[in-house]
Amino acid sequence: MLEPRDVKSIEDAKKIVEERGLSYVKVGVFDNDGVMVGKYVSKEKFFASLDGNYAMCSMVLGSDTSDNLYDNVSYTGWHKGYPDSELRIIPESCRDIPMEGNMLLFNSEFVGEAADVSAQGMLKRIIKRAEDMGFDVYSAIEYEFFLFDETPESVRSKNYKNLNNFTQDNFTMSILRSTVHGDFYQKILDMAEKMDFPLEGLHAETGPGVLEVALAVDKAEAMAEKAALFKTFMKVLAQNNNMMATFMAKWSEEVSGQSGHIHNSLRYRDGSGSAFYDASKPYYMSDTMRHFVAGQQRFLPEFTALIAPTINSYSRLVPGFWAPTEATWGVENRTTALRVIPGSEKSQRVEFRIGSADSNPYLSLAAAIGAGLYGIEQKLEPGEMTTGNAYDKEQPDALKLPGSLWEAAQRLKSSDAAKELFGNNFVEHFAASREWEEREFRRHVTDWELQRYFEII
């Protein structure tokens, strides 16, 4: 009997479905916001799709997270009649869904014209660039997320206020918390193992009901899929246990934001080892690593929309909340945007600390890696290393990050480096989708505005 993670081909995919006697399987794909969409399909439809691809309405790439249709993109829309987008099922993505008994899940990727404007297509483009340069990219992502003793019905009835946190107070890395709630922690660990996005670590973080996970390192494209699956099924697991998980960058002004830090390293494809490690250099930073960090520093302000993709993202990017506001770098410095972590030949890496939990891992990885590769190609040199508290030091204007989603979208769509790395079609489409998001926000009146202006103005 085949196991899901042993599936490597179309023939294997068909075989495991037959062995399990399944009449239906679940297929999905991640949209540009990192939301997994999909459906159950019959065995016959699934086999036909494996042999010749399948289609989904292009609305998936032409609407926001509330299913509102973009009015400012050229790829799809009323002007084109919302035709189908073509997708390919990825046989080797086969996984069990522990919550659904014997059910199997297969991930997909957009192909053809749709690939040019999709997050998965963009990351594949960057991975191919790295391979052509002689590198394999290895990545790991850490997520912080809040848990609540709430349901989708209760949070709406409360208008998302006065919610009951899973735990109380700030008990970072508490053994008390992980032991008292060990049954649920174990459910998370078990799910991660069974669905093949294993965790290197799981612990309580700072804040009421906050957990942090570190996904075990893997090649970058596999890490993007694993991170996106973890976010999706962590929410499923929570709701199955009468709880809710949120990956918003900042759900309350009273608590810290939620990060999605990215660790990256390069290894030579010829098997000769780390491209980042040189024992003869300061902090063991090879010339290649130095150029990589320089590229990340130089283009981080232009690529911020890919890493901080929501209105809410910018509520987190304020001084003093463990989130950087400028494209600084330092060695083992958690106040900088880029944290060089000296280590062994196997562990030498750079942590990309601007990432937030709400980002699409396909996009944030592509941005972090693409900027670094561009730095290597251009042989860029990083600015002065930051020591001490980066928040207390004045930085050049060129290093300042955008302060809003609108500004970030403008920086992205005017970036020549972004167009070269990610393609004109993607940059145009994604920047327009972020402009749409900001326009939607401006249509609404917030509680803050009412409290600020209702009576006194």
Side-chain angles (χ1 to χ4, degrees):
M1 293 282 287
L2 270 176
E3 292 298 322
R5 302 309 287 148
D6 292 331
V7 173
K8 303 298 180 187
S9 66
I10 290 174
E11 291 71 25
D12 287 344
K14 292 179 179 179
K15 181 179 178 182
I16 193 171
V17 171
E18 293 282 17
E19 285 181 348
R20 293 200 175 192
L22 295 176
S23 300
Y24 293 87
V25 297
K26 186 173 281 187
V27 296
V29 68
F30 290 101
D31 70 13
N32 281 357
D33 286 294
V35 176
M36 194 174 205
V37 298
K39 55 189 174 181
Y40 294 102
V41 297
S42 67
K43 181 180 74 173
E44 293 75 20
K45 174 68 174 178
F46 177 68
F47 285 5
S49 298
L50 283 169
D51 290 331
N53 297 334
Y54 73 104
M56 187 179 290
C57 177
S58 58
M59 173 190 168
V60 173
L61 292 171
S63 60
D64 63 23
T65 53
S66 293
D67 289 345
N68 297 308
L69 302 172
Y70 299 143
D71 64 5
N72 61 341
V73 299
S74 60
Y75 165 69
T76 190
W78 295 116
H79 62 291
K80 289 190 174 180
Y82 288 101
D84 280 343
S85 295
E86 190 176 3
L87 298 102
R88 181 185 80 88
I89 293 171
I90 306 169
E92 59 271 28
S93 70
C94 180
R95 283 172 166 85
D96 280 311
I97 307 179
M99 306 83 170
E100 295 192 51
N102 215 26
M103 181 55 60
L104 292 172
L105 171 71
F106 287 83
N107 194 13
S108 308
E109 62 184 359
F110 292 100
V111 296
E113 185 184 1
D116 290 342
V117 298
S118 74
Q120 299 102 312
M122 199 256 278
L123 178 58
K124 290 180 81 72
R125 181 184 179 116
I126 295 301
I127 298 302
K128 176 66 163 56
R129 193 181 193 103
E131 291 174 347
D132 290 345
M133 294 169 67
F135 303 120
D136 284 326
V137 187
Y138 286 84
S139 305
I141 296 181
E142 303 165 348
Y143 282 126
E144 297 168 350
F145 57 97
F146 275 82
L147 281 169
F148 301 91
D149 285 324
E150 301 284 354
T151 67
E153 294 74 26
S154 70
V155 294
R156 286 166 173 80
S157 69
K158 293 180 177 183
N159 198 27
Y160 302 92
K161 297 179 185 298
N162 302 314
L163 304 181
N164 296 314
N165 297 85
F166 173 54
T167 56
Q168 306 303 312
D169 294 325
N170 301 323
F171 287 5
T172 306
M173 298 191 186
S174 167
I175 293 297
L176 172 66
R177 291 286 194 239
S178 61
T179 306
V180 170
H181 300 286
D183 56 343
F184 188 67
Y185 278 67
Q186 194 60 54
K187 287 179 181 180
I188 297 172
L189 295 170
D190 289 346
M191 175 187 70
E193 289 290 334
K194 289 174 181 175
M195 297 194 73
D196 191 30
F197 38 79
L199 305 182
E200 186 178 86
L202 165 65
H203 63 85
E205 247 300 338
T206 304
V210 188
L211 299 186
E212 179 174 337
V213 300
L215 282 89
V217 65
D218 206 333
K219 285 190 174 181
E221 192 170 4
M223 177 51 52
E225 181 182 55
K226 290 181 177 184
L229 285 169
F230 171 77
K231 289 177 65 176
T232 300
F233 285 92
M234 185 62 240
K235 296 172 194 171
V236 172
L237 182 66
Q239 291 192 32
N240 280 349
N241 286 270
N242 296 313
M243 290 188 285
M244 291 194 73
T246 183
F247 289 81
M248 284 182 68
K250 204 169 193 306
W251 85 270
S252 169
E253 67 271 15
E254 298 174 358
V255 294
S256 297
Q258 302 181 97
S259 66
H261 296 161
I262 301 168
H263 296 251
N264 283 317
S265 63
L266 300 181
R267 299 190 70 81
Y268 291 111
R269 302 200 76 210
D270 63 9
S272 57
S274 171
F276 275 9
Y277 181 81
D278 186 335
S280 69
K281 301 284 187 179
Y283 313 113
Y284 309 137
M285 288 178 69
S286 68
D287 291 342
T288 297
M289 184 179 189
R290 195 176 68 253
H291 297 322
F292 188 92
V293 170
Q296 290 189 321
Q297 182 181 38
R298 167 66 180 80
F299 297 107
L300 178 52
E302 296 180 21
F303 299 172
T304 301
L306 302 172
I307 308 147
T310 71
I311 293 292
N312 184 248
S313 301
Y314 298 84
S315 297
R316 171 179 167 269
L317 299 179
V318 293
F321 280 93
W322 297 99
T325 55
E326 295 159 320
T328 52
W329 78 280
V331 175
E332 283 291 11
N333 190 332
R334 285 182 167 85
T335 68
T336 56
L338 303 167
R339 171 187 168 225
V340 171
I341 304 175
S344 66
E345 192 272 342
K346 290 185 177 181
S347 64
Q348 182 86 6
R349 64 195 188 277
V350 58
E351 180 185 18
F352 199 77
R353 291 184 58 80
I354 185 181
S356 55
D358 63 350
S359 62
N360 180 341
Y362 287 92
L363 296 183
S364 52
L365 278 168
I369 297 164
L373 296 177
Y374 205 70
I376 295 171
E377 291 172 339
Q378 303 297 317
K379 297 192 182 316
L380 299 180
E381 293 294 334
E384 183 180 354
M385 182 178 74
T386 298
T387 58
N389 188 352
Y391 300 125
D392 291 341
K393 295 176 170 57
E394 189 66 28
Q395 302 291 344
D397 287 343
L399 296 184
K400 296 186 185 302
L401 302 180
S404 68
L405 184 58
W406 181 268
E407 182 186 351
Q410 306 316 301
R411 295 290 298 272
L412 178 67
K413 75 178 186 180
S414 63
S415 170
D416 291 335
K419 293 170 187 173
E420 180 178 340
L421 286 166
F422 313 133
N424 287 327
N425 290 342
F426 177 83
V427 171
E428 176 188 337
H429 183 81
F430 190 75
S433 73
R434 299 310 97 180
E435 290 175 341
W436 162 271
E437 190 77 2
E438 200 276 342
R439 282 196 288 120
E440 285 291 284
F441 175 69
R442 279 192 282 127
R443 293 176 56 241
H444 292 80
V445 178
T446 66
D447 289 345
W448 184 90
E449 291 169 282
L450 290 171
Q451 293 167 7
R452 189 84 163 188
Y453 304 126
F454 187 90
E455 180 180 0
I456 198 67
I457 290 296

